[in-house]
Each structure stands twice: as C-alpha cells, then as structure tokens.
C-alpha cells in the first residue's frame, strides 16, 4: 500500500527508510522536491504534497530536528496515514531518545536504528484499524424507529386532548424529577456533614468547608437524628440584634465561625434565666469606615461580648486546648483564602518572572496562539495578503511546535525570530536569476536572449522595460525592443520616445555608428505573437544580444486577452517571463498571480507549460514600510523578485535586499 517511508534529520542525514514491495523507483526525487518546494520555502502549514503520481505526507519533529515522510499513490485513499505517521514518530522518538539527544551529525551517523520490525507492526495495526472502521451497512426498515410507530400514534386528536395528556405527563415527570433531585440534595448534604475522630481530636472534613465556600447561601444543615430542636435562647436573639449594620458577606462569615466553634465543642456561656440589666455606656465617637479601606471582622463582631466588653471563651475558636505534640488546627481564614485563590506556581515575585524566561518546556500551540494572532494582524496591516499571513503563521507554528525554548527567551521573541527567518527564506529565491550571465551564454550560442513582460494595466511595464534596457546598455549589450502592445493608444510612441532618449545617452558614434537600442514595431491592431516572432528573427539576423518584448496590460479576468498572452509565450518560448506588479496591491496580488499562472498553464500546448519566472516590483518608493506585496507575490509563485522600481528615472532600478525588506516589515 505504501511506496516508501523515510526518516531523516533536518541536516540531510537519512536515519531509516522503508520501500514497499514491487517499488523499483527511488524515492529521492519526490523527497528532494518536497524539501525544495515546501520545507525550505516555509510552506509547511499543510502536511501534504503532490509529486507526479505520488502523494506525500510529512511531519516535522522540532525537538529532535527530524522529518518523517510517507509516500503512496494518488489514486489510493488511505485514511490511516495521518494517525500512522504520528504513531511512528512517537514510537521512534521513545525508542531512540538517547541516540537522538546526542548532538552532531557524527553521532547520528554512528548510531544504528533497527526499526523495521516496529514499523511493520505499526503498519499492520493501522491497516487493521482502518478495515475495522469500514463503512457500515444501511439500516433496514424493521430496525428503524419509523417501523415501530403505530397508526394510533399518527392520528391527531381534536380539541387539544393529546396536548393536555402530554402536558399532564410532563408535569408528573417534572414533579417526580423534582422529588428525586431534592432527595439527592439531602443525601449529599448529610454526607457532607460527616465528622470523624482522629487521635482524639475532632476535626471538620475539608469537603464541608468547600461546600460552605462554594455555596454560601446554603441553609444550615438539618439536625441529625436523635437531636431535639431547641428553642432560640436570649443569647441567639442578642446575636440577631447584633447583626444590624453588617453586610451580607460579614453575616455569613460570622455564622460560619459560630458553626465551627459549636462543632469543635468550645464552651459557650449560657445566659442566666434572669439576666441582670446592663447599663449602656455612652456612645463615643464612631470610627470612620472608608469605602476602599476594608473592614476587620473582629472589630465588627459584637455578638459574643458580655456586659464588661470582654469576649466570651468561644472566641478562641480553632486554637482551643491543643496538647503538646499534636498538629495545629488549620486556620479557617487561611483555608478560605487557599480555596478562593489557589497558587499558580511554587514561586512568586522575581522567581516567577525568571521561571517564565528560562527555557524549561517545549512550545505548544496554545502557548504560541496569542503571539501568532498579533503577528498575523501585524502582517496584514503591512499589506501582506490575509490568506498568505495565515499560512505563514501556521507554518511557523508547525515549525516551532514541540521545540524547547532557549534560556532566558520568551515565547514572543522565539516566535518573532522564527517568523523573521521564514520571511527571509521566502524572499531569497530557490533559484538564482542571473540575467547578465544568461545573456553571455546566449551570445556564445549566437542567439538573442528574449525577455517577455506581462502584467495588469497601469503597473509600469513600458517604463521599467526602458529602465532594464538602460541597465543592459550600461553593461555593454545591444537591445531590441519589440512593440507587441498593439491595443493601447500611444504605446508604440511611448517606446519610440524611450528609444530616442536611450540612444542620446549612448550615441551611435560611440558604438561603431550602430544604434545600441532599436525599436521593432508594426503598428496597432496586429497579432502580438506574430510581431514577437518576427522581432526575434530580426534580432538573430542583426546580432542583437537581448530582445525585450512589451505586451499589452490586461486584467486577469479577461479571458480573450489572457489567451492571447498564453499564445505569445507558447509560440515564441522566451528565455524569461517577468510579471510586472506594483507594490501597492494587497490581496489583489494573490488573485493576479494565480490567474496569470493558471491562464498560461491552461492555454499552453506543451506538457510542461511556461509559467512566470520572476517578478518586477514597481512603485516601491511610494509604500514606506508597507512592503507586504513582496511577500505575497513570492509566496504565491515561489519565484524571485528580480528588479525593484524605485522612481521615474532610468537609474531608479534596484535589486531586492531580503533582510532590509523583512526589517521594514517587522518594524512596529
């Protein structure tokens, strides 16, 4: 079922591989294509990749810097592959953890990974589990709920009798459920009121304290069987009177403390049958209670005070009569705070801050999610297409997931550094476009080097064609400009003006009496593909070094014009196809490049159609630090930005500095 499975390090060392029976072709080609097109180009947000007739799935292990790749035929639908590759990764890590922790390529080369038996066992289990989860057969009519209905149940009664009957049943069921819930509540409440003796000391079970804390409005417990209800005494009446002026929370807390004192057996003075009248002291100046200053419960608790102002013996609470050697009773206030605000870590203050900085754990998706959301919004604000920004952040998350953070590094700095590296990698081309070297090679073959410019309307194709002409002339090459824009009025005259100005900068007498720049044009309304073919033939006969083909601007949705462009490129087969796009676009850059490439592929007569080879980014001087279009264009095509237009003069042509662009992109 599987064609191959390979495990290799990110440094390129193959640790273990498996090849299916009957498979003779080597898997190095598909794996190398995966590395070049996906892993190196930071496109690992999606874990699948297609190469010819094969479908590849891969998984990155960032902790040990490993890559797991499985390949199988496209026509097969293998549902177990994703889980299988996860199982293989975990099994391989667990078995060879000691070998993988050794740093350096030499340690990996000296290690032996005998993983074939385990791999076959995991593959067998995965295939059997997929067979067990096969499609279930359709349920028969007799097994359905519809077959169990009777004719009587389908007849609707008049006058709402059926509704009344259902309502009566519903009320009965509701009453029954209410009684059951009440019985369960009483049982749970009584269970929470259990007391236990340990070493002669009666203590309250923590469960009851949690019950009081979580349910402060719960009424007092029902009396235990065997205890008789007592009439309220005068002391209790005095306590109720003493609650005046207290908040509800303070009254609840005071009742809790009184309940604990009673349960712990602390003696409470019983008032005499005929209490002596107590002379009320004249009220002094009352203390001012500030709103935000808080209040002390002990200062406000007058319920247990006697006539002399001294508190009763019950105020000793939980600290009453502890024998030497016994454990101290738990303070109620401490326990209350412990349940309401549990500690998040063992250390606080400076130690907590250092613990957040020191690399002590591997990164997870939850750790990175807040930072990645901010990074995504930042990229979109810098003119990166929204879809591209999301894919970039997903790729960075997959690249960092499971990776152990460095010492004294935060999650934000780690994610930002990884994103910067990814952006630089995207802007650096996977193949180098060296036009001067290619022109010299074409000259040695006695043929012109042909460059075709295409793009939407108004992006500056003709202007930047003139800039590139000046750059080629400065390097000692002769240029022929083919005026294939036979649609726009004034297009030929614009190119003739550029030709005249360039020849004035480099007079013919300085080059043996021959104009160094010439224009080949046939007027308007002609076939652009035919004009380009004639211009290339003329350049070959006249020994021109470079032919620059100017085409009409067209929107990506204009099917007839896109068909004409595909025909021009398919017929003349230029050496380089440059897409001219402006740096002002955002999401539109994605749509333009995708549809231009799609049109070139659909209307090509070759099995391997010519697509866009490079990008010319214009109006780069008008965007300040919003350089996101460069990222969007290179990410979509995978092709480099060959030139950057930075002004209106012939000298305003630059090559792209990837790190400078990324620096401007990441600037807050």
């Amino acid at each position: 079922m599987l064609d191959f499975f390979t495990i290799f390090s990110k440094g390129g060392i193959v640790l273990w591989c498996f090849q299916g029976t009957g498979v003779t072709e080597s898997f190095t080609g598909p794996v190398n294509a995966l590395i070049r097109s996906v892993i190196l180009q930071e496109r690992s947000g999606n874990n699948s990749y297609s190469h010819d007739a094969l479908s590849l799935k891969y998984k990155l292990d960032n902790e040990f810097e490993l890559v797991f790749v499985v390949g199988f035929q496209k026509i097969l639908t293998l549902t177990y592959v994703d889980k299988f590759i996860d199982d293989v990764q975990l099994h391989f890590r667990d078995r060879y953890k000691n070998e993988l922790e050794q740093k350096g390529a030499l340690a990996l080369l000296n290690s032996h990974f005998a993983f074939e038996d385990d791999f076959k066992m995991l593959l067998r289990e995965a295939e059997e589990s997929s067979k067990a989860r096969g499609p279930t057969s359709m349920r028969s009519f007799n097994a359905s709920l519809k077959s169990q209905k009777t004719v009587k149940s389908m007849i609707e009664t008049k006058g709402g009798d059926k509704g009344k009957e259902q309502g009566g049943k519903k009320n009965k069921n509701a009453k029954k459920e209410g009684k059951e819930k009440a019985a369960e509540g009483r049982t749970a409440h009584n269970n929470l009121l259990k007391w236990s003796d340990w070493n002669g000391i009666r203590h309250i079970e923590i469960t009851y304290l949690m019950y009081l804390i979580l349910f402060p409005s719960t009424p007092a417990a029902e009396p235990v069987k065997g205890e008789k209800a007592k009439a309220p005494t005068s002391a209790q009446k005095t306590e109720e009177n003493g609650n005046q002026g207290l908040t509800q929370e303070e009254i609840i807390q005071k009742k809790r403390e009184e309940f604990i004192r009673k349960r712990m057996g602390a003696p409470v003075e019983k008032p005499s049958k005929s209490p002596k009248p107590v002379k009320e002291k004249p009220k002094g100046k009352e203390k001012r209670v500030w709103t935000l200053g808080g209040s002390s419960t002990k200062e406000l608790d007058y319920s247990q005070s006697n006539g002399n102002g001294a508190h009763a013996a019950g105020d000793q609470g939980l600290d009453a009569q502890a024998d030497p050697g016994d454990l101290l009773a738990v303070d109620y206030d401490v326990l209350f705070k412990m349940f309401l605000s549990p500690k998040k870590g063992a250390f606080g203050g400076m130690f907590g801050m250092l613990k957040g900085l020191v690399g002590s754990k591997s990164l997870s998706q939850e750790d990175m999610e807040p930072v990645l959301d901010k990074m995504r919004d930042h990229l979109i604000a810098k003119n990166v297409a929204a879809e591209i920004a999301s894919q970039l952040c997903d790729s960075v998350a997959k690249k960092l997931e499971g990776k152990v953070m460095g010492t004294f590094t935060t999650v934000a700095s780690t994610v930002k550094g990884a994103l910067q590296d990814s952006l630089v990698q995207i802007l650096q081309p996977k193949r180098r476009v060296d036009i001067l070297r290619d022109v010299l090679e074409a000259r040695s073959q006695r043929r012109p080097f042909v460059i075709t410019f295409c793009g939407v309307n108004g992006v500056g194709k003709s202007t930047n064609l003139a800039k590139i002409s000046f750059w080629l002339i400065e390097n000692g090459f002769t240029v022929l400009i083919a005026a294939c824009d036979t649609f726009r009025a004034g297009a030929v005259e614009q190119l003739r003006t550029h030709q005249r100005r360039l020849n004035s900068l480099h007079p013919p007498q300085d080059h043996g009496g021959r104009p160094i720049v010439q224009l080949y044009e046939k007027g308007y309304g002609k076939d652009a593909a035919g004009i380009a073919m004639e211009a290339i033939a003329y350049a070959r006969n006249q020994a021109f070094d470079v032919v620059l083909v100017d085409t009409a601007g067209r929107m990506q949705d204009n099917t007839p014009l896109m068909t004409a462009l595909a025909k021009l490129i398919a017929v003349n087969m230029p050496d380089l196809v440059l897409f001219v796009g402006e740096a002002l676009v955002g999401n539109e850059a994605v749509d333009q490049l995708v549809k231009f490439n799609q049109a070139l592929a659909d209307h090509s007569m070759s099995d391997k159609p010519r697509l866009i080879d490079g990008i010319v980014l214009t109006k780069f001087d008008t965007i300040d630090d919003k350089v996101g279009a460069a990222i969007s264009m290179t990410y979509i095509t995978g092709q480099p930005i060959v030139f950057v237009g930075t002004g209106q003069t012939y000298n305003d042509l630059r090559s792209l500095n990837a790190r400078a662009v990324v620096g401007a992109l990441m600037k807050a």
Side-chain angles (χ1 to χ4, degrees):
M1 298 293 281
L2 299 182
D3 282 26
F4 67 88
F5 194 107
T6 180
I7 304 171
F8 57 91
S9 68
K10 289 186 179 179
I13 301 173
V14 178
L15 306 182
W16 183 84
C17 62
F18 162 82
Q19 199 155 4
T21 56
V23 179
T24 56
E25 296 182 0
S26 174
F27 58 84
T28 55
V31 173
N32 287 335
L34 171 70
I35 294 171
R36 285 195 303 268
S37 303
V38 177
I39 298 176
L40 292 181
Q41 292 296 316
E42 301 296 336
R43 301 170 189 270
S44 54
N46 188 10
N47 66 340
S48 60
Y49 174 72
S50 297
H51 179 77
D52 296 337
L54 288 178
S55 179
L56 278 69
K57 293 210 170 189
Y58 63 95
K59 186 172 181 64
L60 304 179
D61 190 323
N62 298 307
E63 183 177 354
F64 295 113
E65 301 290 329
L66 300 178
V67 184
F68 297 78
V69 182
V70 59
F72 54 93
Q73 295 294 321
K74 279 184 183 178
I75 58 174
L76 299 178
T77 305
L78 303 181
T79 58
Y80 61 85
V81 171
D82 291 328
K83 183 179 182 303
F84 173 65
I85 198 170
D86 291 341
D87 294 341
V88 171
Q89 180 211 7
L90 295 175
H91 203 82
F92 190 84
R93 281 167 45 106
D94 294 342
R95 179 167 178 178
Y96 300 107
K97 186 175 182 180
N98 296 330
E99 290 86 346
L100 296 173
E101 285 177 347
Q102 298 177 7
K103 301 297 182 183
L106 188 60
L108 291 176
L109 288 172
N110 293 332
S111 301
H112 179 63
F113 302 95
F115 193 63
E116 187 170 357
D117 295 336
D118 297 339
F119 177 81
K120 290 182 177 178
M121 182 264 294
L122 292 172
L123 179 60
R124 194 183 311 111
E125 290 178 355
E127 291 177 348
E128 289 175 356
S129 64
S130 66
K131 291 178 182 177
R133 295 194 307 267
T136 58
S137 59
M138 185 178 293
R139 186 173 52 179
S140 63
F141 176 75
N142 294 330
S144 65
L145 295 174
K146 190 175 182 180
S147 65
Q148 300 175 7
K149 290 184 178 180
T150 60
V151 178
K152 185 178 179 180
S153 64
M154 299 180 189
I155 298 174
E156 294 185 1
T157 58
K158 295 182 180 179
D161 295 336
K162 189 174 181 181
K164 287 181 181 179
E165 184 182 349
Q166 291 177 354
K169 289 182 180 179
K170 186 175 181 182
N171 292 336
K172 289 179 181 179
N173 293 334
K175 290 179 181 178
K176 188 177 180 181
E177 290 175 1
K179 289 180 180 179
E180 290 176 358
K181 288 182 179 178
E184 290 175 2
R186 285 195 296 271
T187 305
H189 197 277
N190 292 333
N191 290 336
L192 288 170
L193 288 176
K194 291 189 297 184
W195 305 92
S196 60
D197 294 330
W198 185 68
N199 289 344
I201 299 176
R202 291 179 295 173
H203 63 278
I204 306 170
E205 288 187 352
I206 296 179
T207 324
Y208 187 72
L209 289 179
M210 292 177 64
Y211 182 84
L212 292 175
I213 293 164
L214 297 175
F215 307 96
S217 60
T218 305
E222 296 178 5
V224 185
K225 290 181 180 180
E227 295 182 2
K228 295 182 180 179
K230 298 179 181 179
T233 60
S234 58
Q236 290 175 339
K237 292 179 180 177
T238 307
E239 181 184 349
E240 292 176 1
N241 296 332
N243 289 338
Q244 295 177 358
L246 299 181
T247 63
Q248 185 67 21
E249 294 180 359
E250 292 168 346
I251 294 172
I252 292 172
Q253 186 174 354
K254 186 177 65 176
K255 288 182 178 180
R256 289 175 183 160
E257 293 175 353
E258 177 62 23
F259 179 80
I260 293 171
R261 282 194 290 271
K262 288 180 181 179
R263 289 295 184 179
M264 291 301 297
V268 181
E269 290 184 359
K270 294 184 179 179
S272 59
K273 293 183 180 179
S274 57
K276 296 179 181 179
V278 181
K279 291 183 180 180
E280 292 185 2
K281 292 183 178 180
K283 264 191 174 182
K285 185 178 180 181
E286 294 182 356
K287 292 183 179 180
R288 177 176 293 180
V289 180
W290 297 98
T291 306
L292 301 176
S295 60
S296 175
T297 308
K298 294 181 179 179
E299 293 178 2
L300 298 174
D301 187 9
Y302 298 102
S303 60
Q304 296 298 324
S305 59
N306 53 26
N308 298 326
H311 286 268
D315 279 339
Q316 296 180 11
L318 299 176
D319 297 330
Q321 299 178 356
D323 296 332
D326 287 339
L327 295 175
L328 294 176
V330 181
D331 186 23
Y332 176 78
D333 292 334
V334 175
L335 188 64
F336 188 79
K337 292 176 182 176
M338 180 179 70
F339 282 116
L340 285 186
S341 57
K343 293 182 180 179
K344 295 182 179 178
F347 300 99
M350 181 62 71
F351 290 101
M353 185 183 68
L354 291 177
K355 188 179 179 184
L357 292 175
V358 177
S360 58
K361 66 167 188 173
S362 57
L363 285 172
S364 64
Q365 186 73 27
E366 291 75 16
D367 298 333
M368 296 182 286
E369 193 65 33
V371 182
L372 288 174
D373 288 341
K374 292 181 181 179
M375 291 291 181
R376 186 182 295 109
D377 296 340
H378 177 78
L379 291 176
I380 294 172
K382 288 299 181 76
N383 223 15
V384 179
E387 181 184 356
I388 305 301
S390 298
Q391 292 177 8
L392 275 171
C393 292
D394 293 342
S395 177
V396 170
K398 183 168 284 190
K399 182 179 178 181
L400 290 178
E401 188 174 5
K403 192 170 185 178
V404 178
M405 292 172 57
T407 306
F408 292 98
T409 56
T410 60
V411 177
S413 62
T414 304
V415 173
K416 186 177 180 181
L419 184 60
Q420 284 180 334
D421 295 340
S422 299
L423 293 174
V424 171
Q425 188 68 35
I426 288 170
L427 289 175
Q428 289 177 344
K430 61 183 180 182
R431 66 178 187 87
R432 181 174 177 80
V433 178
D434 192 341
I435 294 179
L436 298 180
R437 185 194 62 185
D438 294 340
V439 170
L440 290 174
E441 184 178 353
R443 179 195 281 179
S444 65
Q445 298 174 2
R446 297 180 180 275
R447 66 174 185 85
F449 185 82
V450 182
I451 303 176
T452 300
F453 295 82
C454 62
V456 299
N457 307 78
V459 294
K461 290 186 298 300
S462 301
T463 303
N464 284 275
L465 181 146
K467 293 180 185 179
I468 294 173
S469 298
F470 179 76
W471 174 69
L472 291 169
I473 292 169
E474 291 290 320
N475 284 278
F477 297 112
T478 55
V479 178
L480 177 67
I481 300 175
C484 295
D485 184 358
T486 61
F487 180 77
R488 178 173 62 90
V492 177
E493 287 76 12
Q494 181 183 4
L495 292 177
R496 186 176 290 117
T497 302
H498 282 304
Q499 177 215 4
R500 186 168 58 250
R501 291 198 59 192
L502 289 171
N503 283 325
S504 65
L505 294 174
H506 292 270
Q509 54 268 25
D510 296 342
H511 300 279
R514 178 187 176 183
I516 199 166
V517 181
Q518 290 189 25
L519 176 67
Y520 189 90
E521 53 94 7
K522 292 292 183 180
Y524 296 98
K526 304 294 192 304
D527 180 35
I531 295 175
M533 183 181 293
E534 293 176 7
I536 294 171
Y538 178 80
R540 185 181 293 107
N541 294 332
Q542 298 297 323
F544 279 94
D545 297 321
V546 184
V547 177
L548 302 181
V549 180
D550 183 32
T551 62
R554 63 205 75 208
M555 295 304 294
Q556 63 269 21
D557 297 324
N558 193 327
T559 304
L561 290 180
M562 293 303 297
T563 304
L565 177 64
K567 175 187 173 184
L568 185 149
I569 293 174
V571 169
N572 295 284
M573 293 300 292
D575 298 286
L576 195 63
V577 179
L578 294 180
F579 176 84
V580 184
E582 58 184 5
L584 300 172
V585 296
N587 292 321
E588 185 69 11
V590 177
D591 190 54
Q592 290 175 5
L593 283 163
V594 167
K595 290 187 176 178
F596 262 81
N597 266 334
Q598 189 64 42
L600 295 180
D602 291 344
H603 300 97
S604 176
M605 295 174 288
S606 174
D607 294 336
K608 294 184 178 180
R610 286 296 308 279
L611 303 179
I612 293 171
D613 300 316
I615 299 168
V616 179
L617 198 60
T618 65
K619 306 177 185 178
F620 207 71
D621 54 323
T622 63
I623 57 172
D624 193 22
D625 60 347
K626 295 186 177 182
V627 294
I631 300 294
S632 301
M633 291 182 178
T634 51
Y635 191 88
I636 284 295
T637 61
Q639 304 299 336
I641 295 177
V642 184
F643 297 107
V644 176
T646 58
Q648 295 296 319
T649 67
Y650 291 141
N651 290 317
D652 294 328
L653 193 69
R654 301 286 184 271
S655 61
L656 187 72
N657 186 342
R659 296 199 174 275
V661 171
V662 172
L665 192 66
M666 298 302 293
K667 186 172 67 175

